[in-house]
Amino acid sequence: MDRRTFMKSAALTGAAAIAQSPAPALAQAQGSQKTTVGIQLDVGSLVEQGVDRVLDDLQRLAHVNALFLYTINFMQERVHYKGTGTFRGGNYATVHPQYYKDTVLRAEDTRAPEFPGFDVLAEVVPAARKRGIKTFCWIIEDNSLPKVPNMEKLWEVDVYGRPTTRHPGGPCFNNPNYTNFLLGLVEDYCRSYQVDGIMFGSERQGPMGYSLGAYHNGAHADPGTVCCFCSFCEAKARRMGIDFGRVREGYLALEKYVRSGRAKRRPTDGYYVAFWRVLLDYPEILTWERFWTTGQQETYAALHGKVKAVNPDLKAGWHIWQNASWNPIYRAEQDFAGMAPFSDFFKPVVYNNCAGERMISYMESVGQNMHGDVSKAELLEFEYKVLNYNEAPLDKLAAAGFSADYVYRETKRTMDDLEGTSAQVWPGIDIDVPTANGSSKCTPEGVRDAVLAAYKGGAQGVVLSRSYSEMKHENLRGAGVALEQLNLV
Ligand SMILES: [Zn+2]
C-alpha cells in the first residue's frame, strides 16, 4: 500500500476502532530504531507507578523508544508532585559538584528536596537501556524565580533597572552565572549517566515581543517589565558598540505606545503607522530584540558544544516555543537553518488542540497595539495567510482547535528550512495539554491524525507532549495506532 492510499484508509478508521484496537505484544514493540518515538516524562509518575510499569505502558501503548525526562524542574505540575507541604523543585538526579564552575549557584542547593533518595537517572537509564529505550535529559526554563539561594543573581533586570522574579523575566543568557550553571548541569548529566543527550527549552522571547504582549496570555503583560538591562548585557552591548542609553529610551517610548493602545487611545495616524514610527525613531528597539535572541542561541551553541565535547555521539536539540505558530516576528527569529550548525534535532511545538484558544489569545493582545485597526476576523485571515494555515473561522476556532493539517504544514516547513542539514525534526504532539472548558480536547483519533500528519510532513520522529502525567491512556494509544499504520514500529 503506498503512503497516499494508506493515509486515506487511516483517515477512515474511527475513534472506536482505536479505542478497541489491542496493543501489540510487548516484544514486538521493543528495540525498533526506525524512528524516534519520544515522550516527555515526569518524575512523579515514575515514583508513583514504578519505573518498570511506566516503561511497560509506554512501550505497549505507543512504542516509545526515547524518554525526555524532566530531570530538573521547579514547576509542581510538571514534576507531578502530590506530596503535602511546600513544593520547591530542582534537580532529581544526584548533583556532582565538580562539574559546576564559575557560578554563584552552589550545585548542591539545586538538588530537589522532593522524592529524597530517588535519583531519576540512576533509576531510569539502566532500565530503559535494557529495553532499547534512549534517555534524554529535558531541561525547560521556569516562569518564576526558583527558591534556590543566589538564583536571583542569575535573573534578568527590566528596563527600569528592577530585578525580575517572574515572566517576562528569566535567567539572563548573557549572565555567566546562568550559562556556566547550565554547562555544568549538562556535563554532569552526560558524564555521570549513560544518557543519550539533552533537550533544552526556553519559552521566552526578546523585549520587543514582550512589550507588545505578542504571545498567548500576553494581553495583560506589563511593557515596563521588559528585559534584559542587567550589567552583563550592558557590558556586552558596549563591546558590540550598541548605545545602551538609546536602547532604554527606545523601550520607554515603546512602553508608552503599548500603554496607550491598552487604554484604547488610538494614535492619530493609526496603530500600525505609529508602531513603525517608534521603530524608525528608535531602531535600537530591533537591535536589542535581536541581541536577546542572539544570547539565547549562543547558549544553545555552547550547550551543544559541551555535549559533543563529552561524547560526539550524544545529541543536543531544542524545544521550540509554540509562539512561533502565531507570532510571525518570533517565527522569523527562530531560524531553523541558522540554528542547524549547533542542533542535532528540533522539537517544534505543534500542539493542535490548544492552538485555537492560544491563537485567539495572541490576537487579543496584539489587537491592542500594532494590529489595533483591523477586526479579529480580518487579523485571523492575515495570520492564516502569512503563516500558511487553513484553519477554522474565528467563531469556531476555540472549539475546533487547529487541525492535523497544521501539524503537517508546520512539520513540512521545518523540514524544508532544514533541507541539506543533518538536523532531525521531531514535532511535539499534543496529548491532553489542558484547554479551557468549551475548547478543543484530545481524542484518540485526533492524536492518531496528528502523528500521521507529522510523518506525512517528513518528520523523523515525534515527541509526545507535554507530560505523561497529563495523558489519558486511550489518547496515548492513538499515537501507537498511527505508528503501526505507518509500519514504523
Ligand atoms: Zn542581562
Side-chain angles (χ1 to χ4, degrees), residues 208 211-212 246 249-258 267 271-286:
M208 186 179 79
S211 186
L212 297 168
R246 283 280 303 172
E249 276 176 44
Y251 276 94
L252 295 174
L254 187 59
E255 179 193 0
K256 232 165 118 184
Y257 163 80
V258 173
Y271 285 101
Y272 193 70
V273 171
F275 173 57
W276 269 99
R277 190 163 291 146
V278 178
L279 286 185
L280 291 165
D281 286 348
Y282 294 99
E284 292 85 359
I285 290 171
L286 276 175

Side-chain angles (χ1 to χ4, degrees), residues 216-217 326 352-362 364 397-399 401-402 433-441:
H216 61 276
N217 302 325
W326 25 89
N352 57 307
N353 291 287
C354 58
E357 62 180 30
R358 288 180 177 189
M359 172 66 96
I360 292 168
S361 173
Y362 165 79
E364 275 166 11
L397 182 54
F402 274 22
V433 175
T435 55
N437 288 338
S439 289
S440 179
K441 304 285 179 194

Side-chain angles (χ1 to χ4, degrees), residues 156 172 174 228-230 233:
E156 293 179 318
C172 176
N174 295 314
C228 177
F229 295 84
C230 79
C233 286

Side-chain angles (χ1 to χ4, degrees), residues 79-93:
V79 172
H80 188 51
Y81 179 70
K82 290 179 177 169
T84 51
T86 315
F87 173 83
R88 198 209 68 175
N91 191 341
Y92 290 94

